[in-house]
Amino acid sequence: EAQDLAATDPDYAIRDLFNAIDGGDFPSWTVSVQIMTQAEAENFKYDPLDITKDWYESDVPLTPVGKLVLNRNPENFFAETEQAAFSPGHLVPGIEASQDKVLQARLFAYPDAHRYRFGTSTYTQIPINTPRCPFANYIRDGRMVVNGNQGGGPDYHPNSVAGTPK
C-alpha cells in the first residue's frame, strides 16, 4: 500500500504533515540524551566511543531534555528550510563535544559543507541561521554579507560612539 501511494502521490507525506500543522494538530517528539561521565566512560564494559556498539538504555538511561514540536508551517520554504545550516558544533555553553572520531569529523565537515553550499563564510548571517537574541560584535563586512552589516555601527573597539560596548 505504501509503495502504491508513493508511486501515485509522492507528496502525500509532506501534504499530510502540512495539513496537520495547518489544522492545529502539531506533531511532537520527546528529545532525550544519554549522558556518561568521564569516570563512567573509563570503567564502561567496552569503549563507549566505538561506533560499532550501541549504548543500551539499561546501561545508560535516557534523560529527557525537551520536546520538539512542529507548531507552524514555513512561510517561505526556501528561506526557512533550504537555507537552514545545522551543525553538531552549534552547542550551548556548558555542553562539549566528545572525542568520538565520527563526531569530530562532523564538527569540521558540516560547516565546511555549508561554506561550499552557500558559497560564503557568512551563512550564519542568513536569518534562519542567526540567533534569536540580540547580539553586538565588531564582526562586519566580508564576502557576501547578507544581514544588513549591523547598520551604521562602528567596526572597531574602543570607539567613541554613544551606546556601544566600552
Side-chain angles (χ1 to χ4, degrees), residues 28-43:
S28 65
W29 296 264
T30 300
V31 178
S32 300
V33 295
Q34 288 177 291
I35 300 171
M36 183 182 295
T37 66
Q38 185 67 34
E40 290 170 331
E42 290 169 0
N43 298 314

Side-chain angles (χ1 to χ4, degrees), residues 82-135:
E82 296 295 323
Q83 290 186 323
F86 299 100
S87 171
H90 296 160
L91 300 170
V92 297
I95 304 290
E96 295 181 22
S98 73
Q99 295 303 312
D100 175 29
K101 290 179 175 64
V102 174
L103 175 59
Q104 291 297 317
R106 289 176 176 172
L107 290 171
F108 167 78
Y110 280 46
D112 193 50
H114 299 324
R115 285 186 288 273
Y116 177 80
R117 186 164 65 105
F118 293 113
T120 176
S121 60
T122 57
Y123 67 91
T124 57
Q125 295 177 357
I126 297 171
I128 195 66
N129 299 319
T130 58
R132 290 180 179 242
C133 59
F135 63 93

